[in-house]
Amino acid sequence: DLLMQVEGKPKCCFFKFSSKIQYNKVVKAQLWIYLRPVKTPTTVFVQILRLIKPMKDGTRYTGIRSLKLDMNPGPGIWQSIDVKTVLQNWLKQPESNLGIEIKALDENGHDLAVTFPRPGEDGL
């Protein structure tokens, strides 16, 4: 979907599940995201948004989780987020799986979540 792209790259993460997994019971589901290192202490607001079919008011997503993290200078960090309910719903209604959008904005609006490596940046 071109509306879900920035500079030709997807701004969402799409997960496709095999039909074999659809009938399994979900006990635990964690999404791990990597946050880039920061140079000064900062607060990071992490949002995981589930993409939905556009509503009449133009809304294209609904919130799954929001976190407020304090980060200090040093290496980047891994952050886990519980997505058990989202996964259960996707398995019950696979057609509702339009993907998720991951945002991790610092106080200056810089996105620290690594979903695609930047030029000169190693992939995960």
Side-chain angles (χ1 to χ4, degrees), residues 15-110:
F15 297 89
K16 185 174 181 179
F17 302 102
S18 129
S19 58
K20 293 178 185 177
I21 197 172
Q22 189 171 358
Y23 302 104
N24 290 325
K25 180 180 178 183
V26 178
V27 177
K28 183 178 182 180
Q30 297 289 123
L31 173 68
W32 287 87
I33 60 172
Y34 183 75
L35 303 177
R36 290 183 172 92
V38 296
K39 294 181 181 176
T40 60
T42 189
T43 300
V44 179
F45 299 92
V46 179
Q47 286 185 300
I48 308 298
L49 307 165
R50 184 172 69 97
L51 302 177
I52 59 175
K53 291 181 182 176
M55 297 172 63
K56 289 180 182 178
D57 67 359
T59 301
R60 294 186 59 93
Y61 57 85
T62 181
I64 294 174
R65 293 280 182 269
S66 294
L67 299 171
K68 180 181 171 184
L69 303 172
D70 292 321
M71 286 185 65
N72 291 312
I77 63 169
W78 285 96
Q79 178 65 49
S80 71
I81 297 173
D82 181 7
V83 291
K84 178 182 172 183
T85 303
V86 175
L87 181 56
Q88 287 172 327
N89 290 335
W90 279 347
L91 295 177
K92 287 178 190 170
Q93 297 177 312
E95 68 281 359
S96 72
N97 179 6
L98 301 180
I100 60 173
E101 186 174 345
I102 301 168
K103 295 181 182 181
L105 304 178
D106 68 10
E107 296 165 340
N108 297 315
H110 299 116

Side-chain angles (χ1 to χ4, degrees), residues 9 36 110-114 116-122:
K9 294 181 183 176
R36 290 183 172 92
H110 299 116
D111 195 351
L112 301 179
V114 176
F116 293 95
R118 293 178 178 161
E121 188 175 56
D122 289 333

